[in-house]
C-alpha cells in the first residue's frame, strides 16, 4: 500500500496510520457528521485498525490501533489512581525490557514464516537451532515436533515473553530450551542454524558476530531484514513487500 510504504519501520508506519485516522475523523463534521469526543475516539480506532490491515501489518497491531485513542480518552476521564499507571508501566517494562538499548522491539512472526523456515533445516542429520530474540517462542515451538533430530533453543531477555515461552513449552511437553539471555553473549558456533527476527538497527552487529563465530556449513536465517555487504543465497517472499521476506545465508 503506497500510503504506508513497507520500507518504513513499523513504529513510524503506525504513527502515520494514527495521524491519517485522526485526519479522517477531523473532516467528518464538515461532511455533516456530529460526533462526541468518545464517539470520535472509537471511529478513529476503527479507521486506524482498518488502515493497519490494508498496510499488511502483523494482525496483532490491529487491536492496538483500535484501542489506542479510546484508551487515552478513558485514561483522561476515569480519574484513575496513579497506582494503575505504575502497574501498566511495570507490565510494559517486563514485556519490552531493554528495547531502548537493543533497539529491537517485540516483533512476533507468524505461521507463514515458521513454515518457510522448514526447507532450510537439515533432515539427514542432527542439528542445533536457535531463535535469537524468540519472543513468545513461536518459531522453535512450531519446528520442534516436526524435526525430532533437532535440538531447539530460544533466547529472550524480556521476562514476560520468556516466561510465556517456558509455559508454552511445558504445556506442549516439548524439549525446547528457552534462555533468558542477551543473544550478544552467546557463542553462535554452538549452533547449526541461527534464526533472527530483530530490527534493521541490530542487523549490522549481528551479521559481524555471525561471520566471526558461526562454523562453515552452518546456516543463518533472517526474517524481514537483510544485511549489507553480502546478498542472501536465497530469499522467499511470504507476502507483498520487503518486510515479508525470509533471507538465507550458507556460512
Amino acid at each position: 500500500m503506497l500510503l504506508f510504504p513497507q520500507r518504513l519501520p513499523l513504529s513510524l508506519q503506525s504513527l502515520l496510520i494514527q495521524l491519517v485516522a485522526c485526519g479522517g475523523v477531523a473532516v467528518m463534521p464538515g461532511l455533516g457528521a456530529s460526533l462526541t469526543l468518545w464517539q470520535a475516539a472509537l471511529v478513529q480506532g476503527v479507521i486506524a485498525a482498518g488502515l493497519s490491515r490494508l498496510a499488511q501489518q502483523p494482525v496483532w497491531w490491529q487491536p492496538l490501533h483500535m484501542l489506542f485513542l479510546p484508551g487515552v480518552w478513558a485514561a483522561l476521564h476515569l480519574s484513575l489512581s496513579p497506582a494503575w499507571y505504575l502497574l501498566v508501566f511495570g507490565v510494559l517494562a517486563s514485556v519490552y525490557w531493554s528495547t531502548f538499548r537493543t533497539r529491537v522491539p517485540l516483533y512476533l512472526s507468524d505461521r507463514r514464516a515458521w513454515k518457510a523456515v522448514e526447507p532450510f533445516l537439515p533432515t539427514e542429520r542432527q542439528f542445533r537451532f536457535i531463535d535469537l530474540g524468540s519472543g513468545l517462542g513461536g518459531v522453535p515451538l512450531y519446528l520442534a515436533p516436526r524435526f525430532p533430530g533437532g535440538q531447539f533453543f530460544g533466547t529472550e531477555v524480556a521476562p514476560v515473553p520468556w516466561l510465556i515461552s517456558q509455559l508454552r513449552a511445558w504445556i506442549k511437553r516439548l524439549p525446547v530450551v528457552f534462555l533468558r539471555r542477551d543473544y550478544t553473549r552467546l557463542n553462535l558456533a554452538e549452533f547449526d542454524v541461527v534464526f533472527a527476527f530483530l530490527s534493521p538497527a541490530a542487523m549490522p552487529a549481528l551479521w559481524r558476530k555471525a561471520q566471526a563465530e558461526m562454523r562453515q556449513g552452518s546456516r543463518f536465517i533472517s526474517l524481514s531484514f537483510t544485511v549489507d555487504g553480502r546478498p542472501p543465497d536465497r530469499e522467499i517472499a511470504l507476502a507483498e513487500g520487503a518486510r515479508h521476506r525470509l533471507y538465507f545465508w550458507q556460512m
Side-chain angles (χ1 to χ4, degrees):
M1 187 177 179
L2 295 178
L3 184 59
F4 308 109
Q6 294 286 342
R7 65 179 180 273
L8 282 179
L10 271 173
S11 55
L12 293 180
Q13 194 181 78
S14 296
L15 176 60
L16 182 59
I17 285 173
Q18 286 290 324
L19 292 175
V20 171
C22 286
V25 173
V27 302
M28 286 186 175
L31 300 176
S34 178
L35 300 174
T36 65
L37 284 177
W38 172 239
Q39 290 170 334
L42 286 176
V43 171
Q44 190 273 351
V46 171
I47 294 174
L51 292 175
S52 176
R53 181 177 179 85
L54 288 175
Q56 297 183 330
Q57 290 190 321
V59 65
W60 48 271
W61 275 87
Q62 294 170 34
L64 293 180
H65 282 292
M66 181 175 291
L67 297 174
F68 175 71
L69 206 57
V72 172
W73 184 94
L76 292 174
H77 288 78
L78 295 179
S79 301
L80 297 175
S81 166
W84 284 104
Y85 294 101
L86 181 60
L87 176 63
V88 171
F89 173 78
V91 171
L92 292 175
S94 64
V95 171
Y96 295 99
W97 205 246
S98 59
T99 298
F100 69 94
R101 177 178 59 82
T102 63
R103 293 180 295 172
V104 179
L106 179 62
Y107 287 147
L108 298 180
S109 57
D110 58 24
R111 187 173 291 267
R112 287 177 303 178
W114 307 345
K115 289 183 177 180
V117 172
E118 291 188 54
F120 298 111
L121 301 188
T123 56
E124 71 287 351
R125 59 181 175 83
Q126 294 185 338
F127 64 93
R128 289 164 61 90
F129 173 101
I130 189 164
D131 180 2
L132 305 181
S134 51
L136 303 182
V139 177
L141 291 175
Y142 172 83
L143 295 172
R146 291 165 173 78
F147 291 87
Q151 292 180 278
F152 288 87
F153 299 81
T155 183
E156 175 62 54
V157 293
V160 169
W162 171 81
L163 180 59
I164 292 174
S165 300
Q166 294 275 46
L167 291 174
R168 293 181 69 192
W170 178 74
I171 291 171
K172 294 175 179 288
R173 297 184 179 181
L174 292 174
V176 179
V177 178
F178 289 102
L179 309 170
R180 188 163 175 262
R181 192 180 307 169
D182 190 330
Y183 67 83
T184 61
R185 299 183 179 181
L186 295 175
N187 182 4
L188 299 185
E190 298 177 0
F191 304 97
D192 302 287
V193 183
V194 174
F195 174 86
F197 182 29
L198 299 176
S199 76
M203 289 305 293
L206 175 58
W207 179 242
R208 290 193 295 270
K209 180 178 176 65
Q211 288 182 303
E213 297 178 1
M214 293 183 68
R215 291 176 282 104
Q216 184 176 4
S218 58
R219 302 167 185 184
F220 181 79
I221 304 170
S222 175
L223 176 59
S224 296
F225 309 115
T226 187
V227 299
D228 294 330
R230 179 177 165 182
D233 297 316
R234 185 179 171 190
E235 63 181 85
I236 296 177
L238 306 178
E240 184 179 354
R243 189 161 50 82
H244 302 281
R245 287 183 176 272
L246 195 72
Y247 301 98
F248 168 85
W249 290 266
Q250 187 84 21
M251 304 303 287

